[in-house]
Amino acid sequence: MTATTEIQAPALNDSLLDSVRRDYFSSVGRTILTLVCLALILSALWFLVNWGLVNAVWFGTPEDCHKAAGACWAVITDRYRLIFFGLYPYEEQWRSALACLAILATVILSCVPFFWSAKRLPVLWALGYGLFYFLMKGGVFGMPVVLETQWGGLALTVFVFSSTVVIGMPLAIVLALLRRSRLPVVSTVTALFIDGIRSLPLLSILFTAAIILPLTLPGFLVGDKLYRVIIGAAVFFAVYQAEIIRSGIQSLPAGQEEAATALGLNYWQTISRIVLPQAFRFALPPTINQVVIAFMETALIVILGFFEITASGNAAFSTGGWKPFHTEVYSFVALIYFVFTYSLSMYGSYLERSMKLGLR
Amino acid sequence: MTTSALAIEVDGLCKYYGAHQVLHGVNLTVKPGEKIVVCGPSGSGKSTLIRCLNKLEEHQQGRIRVLGTELNDEIDNINEIRREVGMVFQHFNLFPHLTVLENCVLAPMLVRKIDRKTAEEQAMTYLERVKIPQKAKNYPGELSGGQQQRVAIARALCMKPEIMLFDEPTSALDPEMISEVLDVMIQLAQGGMTMVCVTHEMGFARKVADRVIFMDQGKIVEDAPPADFFDNPQHERSKLFLSQILGH
Ligand SMILES: Nc1ncnc2c1ncn2[C@@H]1O[C@H](COP(=O)(O)OP(=O)(O)OP(=O)(O)O)[C@@H](O)[C@H]1O
Ligand SMILES: [Mg+2]
């Protein structure tokens, strides 16, 4: 016992100051490098604090901003409703806000393990999306109808993103299972489909969904452009996610399916209770990654004339003399993206930690 | 289910992997309550034979009847047989994402449609029987090999099977853990379970087996009570095999 304490003793005495000195100031070269970097960081911080906080204008007109040296957050406080809700009718924007909350609540609840069952998850999604749809579209309970073409801003971004994942994830599971089917025709056709879509850029798929499909589909199948684009994005998400799930299934210890079969479980019971729960644990890091990418890619629908959050941000500064203050608007939009993607990654690493418990 | 005096009837069983024939016309009958030990050199087809008995492997020729039910392509028959036949594997194959208790209640709840409370009570009695009730809430990864194999036996027993198949249940275990698993199997044999065990534990075979079956190159070479098989083997190949595993 005494021997171990003697060995550990120096490490325990190593204070923060000592380790900083050792890591950053142990030689002349290191000291110079450390000081230069420190100076750069401090001056950047100095500028940001001055620009973004000290000298910033929080409320007012473009003229007030021109007089000040700092950031013009007044454009946000003045135009935030345009950024968040796009062209949605002004008096009805509370509906868009509620709808957005409904989708966010659905997404957050979907992250709670209690809802991870084939019975609860569909009910949750049906409720969340039903609520979103009726709030956004109206036409019931005396709410005036608002067409999809007027939907925009954060509500649209969140809706497109979550629908992509909610439709794409089950589709990915089906594709992954079909690809490992024992029937050669089924697995080959699925593989061709997956590899075919994966070799196309997302943009071309979105264009096809938005512009070409209506020319080829019978009228009653066309639907609104929004839904076609969501389906296109979901298929694109699904083919990548299918490969992620498939590799997760391949990491399963040998004999798991056999043990389940020998116990008398049928195919679906084996897949849903034994194979997928383990495959998702293995595939969690790339899955979270794919979901984050799907969120970023919602910005692409701008090109098809949708008014999602980058487009409504654009609109926020392009009129009323706010034009010089695009940096502030884009910083704000970037902050919103950051909040979403960062919480997704935090959730991912939380899941990874909690699931390690059950897989040692 | 037609009643039959036999637990297992195998008649002219042939099994191929592609063009490679692994079982060459195997005949075997097992009466209810009988304990059979299957041994033989590596690659002789022991695993393949017992895996055909619950259709983990598909056979190409011959007939297999288990508890009077013909093992053919009918999914109902296959399911019925799998419900009544428990299997224990060399590498345990516990479900690592489920606790010991969940491992034990999963199949009874899904396949036998027993409610959770009854299934858990029943699982605890079997876990007590294999002397590991204190680990019910642990995950398999937190258990030693011997403990995992005992849980695997309890998991199979929770389905209340008529027949238990064992495929080298102790050969992945450290020597000091072998006896705790064999003790459970001996206790099970004494309780009257019909058992087919692929194993090279000759002490176990002498103690509980009614018959020892020696396989070589996909055929049953010798089928005899353990006393005869060990003290007076009839065939050259059995003699060679016995001298190899008992000899040194
Ligand atoms: N999936 C497979 N594909 C092709 N050949 C196989 C397969 N499984 C087993 N074999 C072959 O079948 C033969 C019998 O294998 P089996 O596993 O039944 O032997 P065993 O008696 O259990 O051997 P061991 O004592 O090593 O477990 C071997 O020659 C083996 O190479
Ligand atoms: Mg074997």
Side-chain angles (χ1 to χ4, degrees), chain A residues 169-189:
Chain A
M169 194 62 89
L171 191 60
I173 293 174
V174 171
L175 286 174
L177 293 179
L178 286 180
R179 185 157 192 182
R180 59 194 287 284
S181 160
R182 277 187 300 146
L183 308 173
V185 177
V186 175
S187 58
T188 314
V189 169

Side-chain angles (χ1 to χ4, degrees), chain A residues 90-323:
Chain A
Y90 195 83
E91 310 73 48
E92 305 293 330
Q93 281 174 359
W94 60 273
R95 283 164 46 188
S96 186
L98 281 185
C100 205
L101 286 180
I103 287 293
L104 280 180
T106 309
V107 169
I108 290 170
L109 288 179
S110 304
C111 293
V112 180
F114 171 80
F115 285 98
W116 295 351
S117 85
K119 291 192 196 85
R120 295 189 183 127
L121 220 45
V123 172
L124 177 68
W125 289 341
L127 280 177
Y129 280 84
L131 202 56
F132 177 92
Y133 183 79
F134 285 119
L135 279 168
M136 288 298 277
K137 184 100 177 212
V140 283
F141 302 121
M143 296 186 291
V145 173
V146 180
L147 291 179
E148 278 88 345
T149 42
Q150 288 170 282
W151 297 6
L154 186 62
L156 186 65
T157 294
V158 172
F159 178 64
V160 170
F161 158 68
S162 56
S163 321
T164 302
V165 176
V166 164
I167 300 170
M169 194 62 89
L171 191 60
I173 293 174
V174 171
L175 286 174
L177 293 179
L178 286 180
R179 185 157 192 182
R180 59 194 287 284
S181 160
R182 277 187 300 146
L183 308 173
V185 177
V186 175
S187 58
T188 314
V189 169
T190 315
L192 271 177
F193 177 77
I194 291 177
D195 294 338
I197 303 275
R198 286 209 306 167
S199 62
L200 297 172
L202 175 58
L203 204 54
S204 69
I205 291 172
L206 295 182
F207 266 119
T208 311
I211 295 154
I212 302 177
L213 268 191
L215 305 177
T216 56
L217 282 180
F220 64 96
L221 268 182
V222 172
D224 189 86
K225 183 164 84 173
L226 177 60
Y227 303 116
R228 293 200 306 272
V229 164
I230 287 175
I231 302 279
V235 169
F236 189 78
F237 174 81
V239 292
Y240 280 90
Q241 183 59 25
E243 289 297 280
I244 292 173
I245 294 173
R246 194 168 68 104
S247 78
I249 294 178
Q250 278 165 351
S251 338
L252 241 68
Q256 290 288 303
E257 280 180 79
E258 231 163 46
T261 310
L263 281 167
L265 270 61
N266 63 30
Y267 177 79
W268 286 113
Q269 291 167 336
T270 306
I271 292 295
S272 65
R273 299 306 186 96
I274 305 302
V275 176
L276 289 180
Q278 293 186 60
F280 268 102
R281 281 168 166 81
F282 289 118
L284 199 62
T287 299
I288 295 290
N289 199 25
Q290 197 62 40
V291 170
V292 167
I293 290 175
F295 185 74
M296 305 291 203
E297 283 174 345
T298 53
L300 272 184
I301 65 173
V302 161
I303 299 177
L304 303 162
F306 288 104
F307 220 65
E308 52 66 78
I309 194 155
T310 50
S312 60
N314 247 327
F317 65 73
S318 44
T319 54
W322 293 111
K323 218 160 201 134

